[in-house]
Amino acid sequence: MVKRFPQWQRDDAAHTPRHAADSVRARRLRLSLLLALVLAVPLAGVSGRAAYAADLAPAGASIGGQSVAGMTREEVAAVVTARAADTTVSITVDGQTIESSLEQAGGRVDASALADVLVDGADIAQSTPSAVGDQGGQTPAVSVDAQAVTALAERIDAQVGTPAVNAAIQPTADGDAFEAVAGSDGRGVDLASLTAVVENATVTLTSQSVELALTGTAPAISDAAAEAAASDADALIASEVTLSGAGETLTADAATRASWVGTTVVGGTLKTTLLEESVAAWVDQAAASIELDPISAIDNVDADGNLLEPARPAQEGLEVTNREAVTDGIIAALDAHEPYSGELDTQALTADAEQRVVSSGTDRFAYAAEAGEKWIDINLTDSTITAYEGYQQVHGPVLMNHGGPGNETITGTYQVYLTYAKQDLGCSAGWSYCQRDVAWVTYWQGNYAIHSAPWAKHFGVGSDAGSHGCINLPEEEAHWYYDWADIGTTVVSHY
C-alpha cells in the first residue's frame, strides 16, 4: 500500500525506520502547493468552464516543461506516462552518485488522475490542500511511497555511508534462553531531505540532481528494546511442551522451543513471535517418529498363480492425522504462557498384498535341506526370518530387523553354536553400545545372533536396518527360535 510521507516507516530486518522532520499534514500541504504552482497557468482567453466543456487541456497547461494545451485526457495521460518514465533522481554523497528512476525512488504518478487535474486545471490554484490527496477513496494524482524512499536511503548508505546496526536478540550459548546483542550508530543521508527531493521530482516530473551530506543515524532498535525483547522471548518459551502418541511421549526441550522464536521490527520495538513453520516442523518430526509405512504381504506363487508359501506377512501402517491442530495448540498455549500437553491422533493404513512368481521346484529355497532337517532362513531382502523342517514352513515368516549401513549382517550358511537365555550385549571395551539383560540369544556365527530387541519400535522393511548386524526380533519370537533351534541347526543368511 502506498502512503504519503509518513513520519515513520515500519521495516523488516532489511529496512530501518527513520523519522522525518515534517508531519504528514505538512507534507501533504507542501505537495498540494507544489502541484498547484505547477498547474496554475494563464488561460489565455479560454475560460475554465469552456476548457472543461471542450474536455481539452486549457491553453498554457504544461507538465515538466512540456505543453499539453489542447490535448485530450488520453493524450495528456500519455505525456504524463512518458515524463514519469524519463524522470530520474540523482543523489551525490562524498563524490559518489547514485541514480534511480522515479518509480524506484518512490515517486508514484497516476497518469489518468493527473491528466484529469490538468484538463480541469482552471480551478487548481484555488483548490484545498487535500485536492491532490485521497478524496472519497479516489487515487491521488501524485504521491510518494515512504518505504521506497527508505529503501533508496539504505541503498545510498550501504554504498557511501555506514548503516546503523539494530540491537537484536540471540539464543544464549546453552540455547535455552535469550540475550540482547547491542546495536551501533551509523552515518547516512537525511531521510527528510531525500524525501523532499523525491517529492519535487514527482510533482514537477523533472529529473533532480542533488548533493546531500551524511548525518548521524541511530539504530531503529535500541539496546533497551532488545533487552525487553529478550525478556519477552524467555517468557514465551518458559512453558513445557509434551506430546503423546502410539505409546510414546515426546518433549520439546527449552533449546528446541527457543528455535521456534522469531522477531519483527514494529516502529522502534522488537516484537517476539512464535514461528508457525518452525513449530510445525517439530510436530512433523514428532509425528514421523511414531508413523509407520504399511508393509505389503508377499506370497510366492507358481507360474499359474497357485500359492506355494507366504514369503512376507503384511503389517498395517500408522499415520498421524492432527498435525495442524497440534501446531495451533502449541502456539496458543505458549502465547498464553501456559504449558501444552497434547495427543497425536493416529489412524491405521491398510497394507496391500502382492504375489511373487517363483520356481515351483525346490530350487526356490536358499538351502538344499534333507527331509525333516531343521534350518532357519534369514531373508535380508524381505526382512523376514522363517523356520523350516525340510521344505515345510513350521514358523514364520516373521518380520525382523537386521544390520544397518556399516554394520551389515553377513551372508552365507552357518550353524547355531551357542545360546543364552539372557546376556549383556556390547558392554565391553571395543564395543560402541551396551544392552543389558538381552533375552533369548541364539548365536549362529561369531558375534552374530538372533535375539530379542525390546528397544525396537517396529520391525520389517522401513525400520529393518536397525541393529549392529544381529537379527532383532520381538521378544516372543526370539523366545520361539531359542526354544526350537538346536546346537548345529543350519542358518542361511541371504538377499
Side-chain angles (χ1 to χ4, degrees), residues 10-80:
R10 178 193 178 276
D11 209 346
D12 55 23
H15 292 82
T16 302
R18 295 162 173 262
H19 292 275
D22 299 331
S23 67
V24 173
R25 183 184 182 112
R27 292 192 177 282
R28 288 181 175 173
L29 176 59
R30 177 165 66 183
L31 185 59
S32 300
L33 293 177
L34 281 169
L35 185 57
L37 290 173
V38 171
L39 300 178
V41 297
L43 299 183
V46 180
S47 72
R49 186 178 300 277
Y52 178 79
D55 208 27
L56 302 174
S62 66
I63 185 70
Q66 181 174 345
S67 174
V68 294
M71 292 184 181
T72 64
R73 296 177 189 272
E74 291 76 14
E75 291 170 336
V76 174
V79 171
V80 170

Side-chain angles (χ1 to χ4, degrees), residues 235-253:
L236 198 58
I237 66 169
S239 301
E240 293 186 353
V241 174
T242 303
L243 288 177
S244 300
E248 299 291 328
T249 299
L250 309 128
T251 301
D253 60 21

Side-chain angles (χ1 to χ4, degrees), residues 349-412:
L349 298 176
T350 303
D352 296 327
E354 304 173 12
Q355 290 186 334
R356 180 166 59 198
V357 177
V358 298
S359 169
S360 60
T362 58
D363 58 322
R364 72 178 182 273
F365 296 100
Y367 177 66
E370 299 290 338
E373 179 186 0
K374 286 183 176 183
W375 66 284
I376 297 172
D377 181 276
I378 296 173
N379 189 320
L380 301 175
T381 298
D382 291 339
S383 294
T384 58
I385 182 172
T386 309
Y388 286 89
E389 292 181 4
Y391 296 116
Q392 180 70 37
Q393 290 181 348
V394 294
H395 191 75
V398 174
L399 294 174
M400 57 84 173
N401 293 342
H402 54 73
N407 296 294
E408 290 83 357
T409 300
I410 59 172
T411 58

